[in-house]
Amino acid sequence: SIRKLNKHRARVSSLMFMDGFLVSGSKDKSIIVNDLRVREHAVTQYQNHQDKFAFKSKKLNESIFASGSVDGSAIIWDLKSGFIERVKGHSGAVKALEWCPWKNGVLATAGGKDS
């Protein structure tokens, strides 16, 4: 079946399934956690980036994920409690994120000029 999720006010640029939820990120600068099992699917909304971004979850069954943005920052989030920490180290956009598979809590980011 097809289901329309229409809580964002601009183009959706990132999607990620994790811990039973669909997390969506938009050019409207928001991240929405969607529970597709219920009619009112938008469970939580976060807004801490300045523009479009990318996602990476630690593990599919965990609630921790990171987002990277064209503002040069990466933010670590918890689906249950929200914002954890902002890391700023790029002068350009954070375009890729990856959690270290052998050392818990280590996040690598890659950046460059936004196009």
Side-chain angles (χ1 to χ4, degrees):
S1 74
I2 296 175
R3 184 162 179 193
K4 184 176 180 180
L5 308 178
N6 57 1
K7 297 295 181 183
H8 286 291
R9 295 179 313 277
R11 176 179 50 88
V12 171
S13 57
S14 300
L15 290 171
M16 171 183 63
F17 281 105
M18 74 176 290
D19 199 29
F21 296 95
L22 174 65
V23 182
S24 58
S26 170
K27 196 152 174 66
D28 68 8
K29 305 174 189 175
S30 70
I31 296 171
I32 296 179
V33 179
N34 299 279
D35 185 346
L36 304 179
R37 300 167 293 188
V38 296
R39 182 173 173 84
E40 292 300 316
H41 56 85
V43 176
T44 307
Q45 182 169 342
Y46 305 127
Q47 218 155 351
N48 250 331
H49 280 300
Q50 294 177 5
D51 207 334
K52 62 185 178 181
F53 38 86
F55 294 130
K56 190 64 178 185
S57 64
K58 274 181 88 171
K59 295 181 181 170
L60 287 177
N61 59 349
E62 284 189 24
S63 64
I64 304 295
F65 71 98
S67 60
S69 174
V70 299
D71 64 15
S73 72
I75 297 178
I76 301 172
W77 303 91
D78 186 321
L79 283 177
K80 297 175 178 92
S81 61
F83 177 87
I84 295 176
E85 180 180 2
R86 177 188 301 268
V87 180
K88 179 97 166 106
H90 292 278
S91 57
V94 174
K95 295 187 172 192
L97 307 132
E98 187 64 59
W99 291 97
C100 181
W102 64 86
K103 185 154 175 78
N104 193 29
V106 174
L107 176 69
T109 63
K113 289 187 178 182
D114 191 38
S115 53

